[in-house]
Amino acid sequence: DIVMLQEVGLTKMESMDYCQGPDGSFSPEIFGQKLAINYPAFAELLDCYSIVNCSPRLEVRRGGAPRPKDNGVILVSKELLKRFHVNALTRGADERDIRLKELYTLNAGKPIVGVRLVDSGGAAVLDVFGAHFEKAKTLQNLRSLLDIAGVSLGRG
């Protein structure tokens, strides 16, 4: 099972909670622990699912600081994680891909979150994205995101 949540308000989380991994990157494990402490209602969900990526809204006009009141979150069942590895395709508060940084700016900082499921041999099985696109720019931003992911939307 894969669960994608959009517009998740996590106002008890702090900006630094998104940057607790190596080199200031996002750590799903640490974020999940802090989420369970700050929001006990999530604890039951986190017994069966693991957070694999989270993207907060970014203050693109103020240096890109994360705003925890609007998040895109991807969770994967712990059973599925026994068979597949998950790689983050987006890094929200610590995005290093210049194309994704530009897309966040075009999207007014709204969350874009993505992961790739990989099998035991290292082959990509599935890419999953959740995006809260600006309504007037949905098609343009979707095309940009798919281009970054190496997928064509086709004509339209």
Side-chain angles (χ1 to χ4, degrees):
D1 296 355
I2 300 171
V3 177
M4 298 185 328
L5 303 173
Q6 282 296 118
E7 298 189 53
V8 180
L10 301 173
T11 56
K12 293 179 184 175
M13 303 299 276
E14 298 180 22
S15 294
M16 66 182 170
D17 292 333
Y18 296 91
C19 305
Q20 295 292 312
D23 302 325
S25 62
F26 178 75
S27 169
E29 296 81 15
I30 295 172
F31 191 84
Q33 292 167 0
K34 290 188 176 205
L35 185 69
I37 291 167
N38 288 322
Y39 297 93
F42 268 97
E44 186 175 345
L45 180 66
L46 294 175
D47 285 342
C48 302
Y49 291 86
S50 292
I51 292 176
V52 293
N53 204 353
C54 178
S55 177
R57 182 178 186 130
L58 303 176
E59 286 285 349
V60 294
R61 293 188 182 110
R62 294 188 181 126
R67 292 190 57 210
K69 74 176 199 173
D70 183 5
N71 293 268
V73 182
I74 299 177
L75 301 102
V76 176
S77 72
K78 291 185 177 182
E79 286 300 314
L80 195 59
L81 289 173
K82 292 177 182 175
R83 298 188 324 234
F84 298 98
H85 180 72
V86 178
N87 297 327
L89 294 174
T90 60
R91 288 172 177 72
D94 182 43
E95 188 57 65
R96 296 173 186 177
D97 184 318
I98 190 70
R99 300 167 303 164
L100 282 168
K101 282 184 177 183
E102 290 171 359
L103 184 55
Y104 281 112
T105 300
L106 288 172
N107 199 44
K110 291 184 178 179
I112 301 169
V113 60
V115 297
R116 173 173 289 159
L117 269 67
V118 179
D119 67 17
S120 60
V125 175
L126 177 70
D127 290 349
V128 177
F129 289 95
H132 183 178
F133 285 138
E134 282 286 300
K135 289 173 186 63
K137 297 181 181 179
T138 297
L139 186 57
Q140 172 189 347
N141 289 347
L142 179 59
R143 282 192 170 129
S144 295
L145 179 60
L146 293 175
D147 182 54
I148 292 166
V151 178
S152 174
L153 184 60
R155 294 183 177 206

